[in-house]
């Protein structure tokens, strides 16, 4: 089914490109403008520069702005698109876009270009965009839009509907109508549903909900995402510290936040940026190598620790057999507890403090360590006909697992307390660190017992 | 700030619990019903059973249903809540909830209880729920709701508004109004915005959008999530194969799908279920142990491979020094390429086939392998004053990285083709597998060159 649709879409793209290059603007416009704006954006992103230049002459700035709203703001080609447009056209297009999306694009440009574009916009738009550009990255202010519908409390619903009708075309979402007092402070909220189903002669203040749940303009975007997720809102108002309404954040922007957050946690666990999956293999190698080489040098410390015990290994070469088993198992246990700790930091549990989580993780570590340790003691004991050797391996593994569990659960919390992203304490880092401690534990224990299991 | 809010919230919870146990229903109702339904749910989840039993007598079934809509459908206590309610009350409450949420709860119960509850509901509700219960898990049908607003095409907007007003209270989202033809097929869609801003004497068919983007009832929920994400919809209609409208899926349900999906990918990479972060440490250990012990036995194959080379190690104990370095680095490289492959499967790139991705990953593997290999050759060469030993380590590491990269990128794709969740080919599994191949590569190469770097 999906392939059939895909075939039809490729056919349509081909036909549209032909109409564009054949300079048949009317036919092109008819077909193109029937597409959904996201599809228009997909079509646009597949064009060559020459075709794009033609497109800018065939469509109005407002029509181009309409689908630019649907281009992912992480798209690296955005500055190129803006640069190839006549600057008046670009300014007009940005004005026609939703303010938050226009600002997302401006953030990719250099200061000179931004000022040049803002200078060609109507004063109010330029002012709005300047204000939004000002907010720090990843805060509520940086992702909010200023296109909301606000009304006064002392009017009838019928009058409010007239105001709503007049402003509906420009607002990003009309599902919630915000009620302001004389000082522009947020006094209440009405859903469009309430506005419609109630008697039109009632006053706004009679039916508005005064318990408005809002976020502060300086709040972190992840907090905003959590609130919208919890309450199942379609949008949330953003206020300053005097409760004046500055903007709204809609759920589609929150989905982007959730996606980015998930991708960055996942990247942290793997030690690679997974966001850019379509880049060329050489660039991918260049991005992964710094991590790999850093970990390689960290791994060198484990190697030199083993080197320190080389005489022990040459005396009892059987010890070499279990190095990778112990480091590997402890690394797996550490990664498990790291993942749980990172997740717990993202979705905090009111009932648990940092210390009680650490304690719980320690108990988990002791239990998993004991079970795994006893298992391997038996396996090695029967295999090598030496339960002393088995006990050495088992004891080492048990201790290594407990230490790895503690490290995996402690380091993300420490990172968060120090103000870093906990996902930075990533999986490969924890595994490599746990290699070092596991080897140290292993050989310390083995050295103590070596005379008992080596036959001279 | 958050702590101050939290303090106020705990205070309010305390006060509400006192009102509840002091049997002051009126005062309790006034305060409780002012809370947002999500907050009501949070309060409810913190109660003891005796308090909950009182609550069911103080609130109506409809009021309880209102906040049950906001309880996470993964909550394991749901069957207990249903069981402790009078069954008539439970049936009434489920009827008052949005159908999709009610069905999510029913899915936790056994067949007998479900039938008992459905028998006490109005016929239409029971029929709707039976139908939804029928759809396979994780499909569009399983997450859709049947509370949407549908109108006929041949009426004026004014008449449509009257119909909308009459049905608005029951619909889950009134932002989109769906236009059906005589055979109940989906003929068009109107946003509430268009309904409001246009001249009320126009006909519905004049302004409706006939290019409706919908999903099939059997579509996978992840496909639905992708469509809603791409198009920035607040809801999407769900149809059967004859284009009859069966339900809608709203964006809040999609956020849950995205969260679950991200958590399951993350869990797969770490080899642990991170969804349940607040469970007790013994349960956590019980959940992690199967994975750890399985990997332990897989790791035993690596150990027995090293055992096979024990005479080589006793001849050249320096080889033991680099085992964990080579297995660790190859494991890191494999995890990186696994994460990219899983991500690429979740967000497919039209321009790349499975084979071309594999080829690209191979190039990346060769480049990272060469750079890392040359680095370690130099480091070991200078450290151990033997560039032959250095080259052996470097060559082994280079080959091990290339193989790990290929495995990390090939296995998820293979899993997906075989119909399994690609995230099942999880991080610890790939690392443990790559340990085995790395050790094999390492000792094969070392054995070949051993006479060159061991001084007899």
């Amino acid at each position: 089914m999906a392939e059939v649709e895909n075939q039809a879409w490729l056919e349509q793209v081909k036909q549209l490109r032909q109409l564009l290059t054949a300079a048949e603007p009317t036919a092109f416009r008819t077909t193109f403008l029937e597409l959904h704006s996201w599809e228009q954006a997909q079509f646009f992103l597949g064009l060559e520069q020459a075709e794009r230049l033609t497109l800018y002459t065939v469509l109005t700035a407002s029509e181009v702005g309409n689908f630019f709203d649907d281009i992912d703001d992480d798209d690296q080609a955005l500055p190129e698109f803006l640069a190839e447009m006549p600057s008046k056209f670009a300014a007009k297009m940005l004005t026609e876009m939703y303010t938050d999306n226009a600002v997302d694009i401006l953030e990719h440009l250099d200061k000179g270009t931004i000022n040049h574009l803002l200078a060609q916009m109507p004063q109010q738009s330029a002012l709005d965009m300047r204000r939004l550009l000002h907010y720090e990255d990843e805060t509520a202010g940086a992702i909010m839009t200023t296109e909301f519908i606000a009304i006064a409390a002392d009017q009838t619903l019928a009058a409010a509907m007239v105001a709503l009708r007049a402003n509906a075309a420009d607002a990003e979402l009309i599902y919630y109508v915000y009620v302001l007092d004389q000082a522009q402070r947020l006094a209440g909220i009405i859903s469009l549903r309430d506005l419609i189903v109630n008697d039109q002669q009632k006053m706004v203040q009679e039916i508005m909900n005064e318990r408005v749940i809002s976020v502060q303009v300086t709040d972190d975007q992840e907090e905003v995402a959590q609130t919208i997720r919890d309450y199942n809102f379609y949008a949330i108002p953003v206020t300053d510290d005097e409760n004046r309404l500055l903007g709204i954040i809609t759920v589609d922007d929150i989905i982007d936040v959730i996606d980015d957050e998930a991708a960055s946690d996942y990247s942290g666990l793997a030690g690679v940026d997974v966001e850019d999956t379509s880049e060329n293999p050489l660039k991918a190698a260049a991005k992964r190598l710094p991590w790999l080489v850093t970990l390689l040098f960290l791994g060198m410390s484990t190697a030199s620790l083993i080197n320190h015990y080389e005489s022990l290994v040459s005396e009892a070469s059987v010890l070499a057999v279990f190095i990778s088993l112990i480091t590997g198992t402890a690394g797996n246990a550490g990664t498990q507890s790291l993942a749980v700790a990172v997740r717990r930091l993202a979705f905090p549990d009111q009932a648990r403090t940092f210390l009680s989580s650490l304690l719980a993780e320690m108990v988990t570590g002791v239990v998993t360590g004991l079970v795994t340790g006893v298992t391997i003691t038996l396996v090695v004991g029967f295999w090598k006909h030496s339960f002393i050797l088995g006990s050495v391996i088992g004891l080492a593994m048990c201790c290594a697992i407990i230490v790895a569990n503690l490290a995996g659960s402690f380091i993300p919390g420490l990172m968060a307390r120090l103000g870093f992203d906990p996902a930075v304490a990533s999986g490969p880092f924890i595994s490599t660190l746990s290699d070092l401690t596991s080897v140290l534990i292993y050989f310390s224990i083995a050295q103590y017992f070596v005379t008992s299991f080596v036959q001279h």
Side-chain angles (χ1 to χ4, degrees), chain A:
Chain A
M1 187 67 195
E3 270 178 44
V4 176
E5 277 168 26
N6 203 21
Q7 205 52 48
W9 167 247
L10 291 178
E11 201 50 51
Q12 192 162 29
V13 165
K14 205 174 133 194
Q15 189 205 338
L16 272 169
R17 286 178 89 154
Q18 276 165 355
L19 288 174
L20 194 63
T21 37
E24 300 212 41
T26 325
F28 173 81
R29 284 177 55 86
T30 313
T31 316
F32 182 78
L33 294 176
E34 261 183 16
L35 295 178
H36 187 279
S37 52
W38 180 72
E39 296 164 343
Q40 294 176 350
Q42 294 310 104
F43 171 76
F44 173 80
L45 292 172
L47 295 180
E48 304 290 329
Q49 187 177 35
E51 293 168 315
R52 290 199 302 267
L53 292 177
T54 315
L55 191 82
Y56 303 142
T57 65
V58 172
L59 298 175
T60 68
S62 150
E63 285 159 354
V64 174
N66 190 38
F67 69 77
F68 259 69
D69 271 324
D70 275 305
I71 295 180
D72 187 348
D73 60 28
D74 293 333
D75 201 301
Q76 311 219 332
L78 280 169
E80 189 190 330
F81 299 151
L82 270 279
E84 73 195 13
M85 291 178 193
S87 78
K88 215 170 150 183
F89 187 92
K92 182 90 196 304
M93 180 197 79
L94 290 168
T95 316
E96 297 286 338
M97 289 176 66
Y98 290 121
T99 320
D100 56 339
N101 298 334
V103 168
D104 286 341
I105 293 183
L106 285 176
E107 277 167 353
H108 286 277
L109 310 178
D110 61 84
K111 223 163 185 174
T113 317
I114 295 178
N115 286 330
H116 184 63
L117 285 169
L118 289 178
Q120 296 177 71
M121 290 182 190
Q123 218 171 358
Q124 187 57 45
S125 302
L127 203 71
D128 281 350
M129 290 192 198
R130 256 186 219 292
R131 204 177 299 136
L132 289 186
L133 276 169
H134 200 256
Y135 293 111
E136 236 176 297
D137 222 24
E138 312 213 327
T139 63
I143 57 171
M144 73 183 184
T145 182
T146 51
E147 281 114 344
F148 52 82
I149 296 179
I151 58 171
D154 53 349
Q155 57 180 328
T156 60
L157 296 189
M161 274 300 274
V162 173
L164 177 64
R165 278 209 175 89
N167 294 303
D170 287 330
E172 184 161 349
L173 179 71
I174 61 165
Y175 199 72
Y176 302 108
V177 178
Y178 302 95
V179 185
L180 303 186
D181 66 11
Q182 267 94 6
Q184 302 295 302
R185 281 186 305 250
L186 188 56
I189 186 172
I190 303 185
S191 73
L192 190 47
R193 186 198 305 254
D194 291 334
L195 209 49
I196 287 177
V197 299
N198 279 288
D199 175 2
Q200 297 295 297
Q201 292 318 308
K202 279 196 179 164
M203 300 297 283
V204 167
Q205 59 215 14
E206 283 178 69
I207 66 155
M208 74 182 187
N209 187 344
E210 290 172 40
R211 254 188 109 263
V212 187
I213 289 159
S214 61
V215 293
Q216 291 277 306
V217 70
T218 50
D219 281 355
D220 188 276
Q221 61 177 7
E222 296 194 10
E223 274 174 58
V224 180
Q226 193 56 44
T227 308
I228 287 198
R229 224 183 217 148
D230 284 342
Y231 286 92
N232 285 342
F233 287 145
Y234 293 98
I236 197 165
V238 182
T239 59
D240 63 13
D241 45 19
E242 285 170 55
N243 199 28
R244 279 181 303 232
L245 183 60
L246 300 177
I248 62 169
I249 295 173
T250 51
V251 69
D252 55 310
D253 295 319
I254 287 307
I255 289 187
D256 296 340
V257 171
I258 294 174
D259 276 345
D260 287 352
E261 198 186 313
S264 105
D265 284 355
Y266 192 74
S267 300
L269 198 58
V272 60
D273 178 8
V274 294
E275 280 282 45
D276 224 341
T277 51
S278 58
E279 64 194 359
N280 81 54
L282 291 180
K283 264 196 196 161
K287 275 196 176 173
R288 294 187 205 174
L289 271 168
W291 227 155
L292 274 184
V293 173
T294 308
L295 292 169
L296 182 71
F297 280 96
L298 197 60
M300 277 305 295
S301 55
T302 308
S304 49
L305 186 67
I306 304 179
N307 188 55
H308 180 73
Y309 287 102
E310 203 190 320
S311 61
L312 183 66
V313 174
S314 70
E315 195 179 340
S317 54
V318 68
L319 289 177
V321 171
F322 298 100
I323 294 178
S324 74
L325 189 67
I326 290 177
T327 57
T329 307
N332 290 339
T335 306
Q336 287 183 332
S337 92
L338 170 77
V340 172
V342 168
R343 180 84 184 177
R344 192 177 280 146
L345 285 166
F347 298 89
D349 178 359
Q350 308 284 0
R352 278 218 185 156
T353 64
F354 177 54
L355 267 179
S356 77
S357 307
L358 211 61
L359 201 74
E361 198 57 36
M362 181 141 178
V363 175
T364 308
V366 170
V367 174
T368 48
L370 279 176
V371 174
T372 318
V374 169
T375 309
I376 198 68
T377 301
L378 295 175
V379 171
V380 174
F382 283 111
W383 181 31
K384 290 284 174 188
H385 306 294
S386 162
F387 282 91
I388 298 182
L389 177 62
S391 307
V392 168
I393 308 292
L395 183 62
M397 192 172 279
C398 176
C399 297
I401 286 177
I402 294 172
V403 171
N405 257 39
L406 275 183
S409 119
F410 180 72
I411 291 179
L414 186 75
M415 290 275 182
R417 294 226 150 185
L418 295 176
F420 295 109
D421 180 354
V424 167
S426 62
F429 177 72
I430 289 282
S431 322
T432 310
L433 195 74
S434 112
D435 282 359
L436 185 70
T437 55
S438 306
V439 164
L440 184 65
I441 292 169
Y442 178 39
F443 282 113
S444 308
I445 294 175
Q447 189 154 45
Y448 194 80
F449 290 101
V450 67
T451 47
S452 321
F453 61 82
V454 176
Q455 290 86 23
H456 288 281

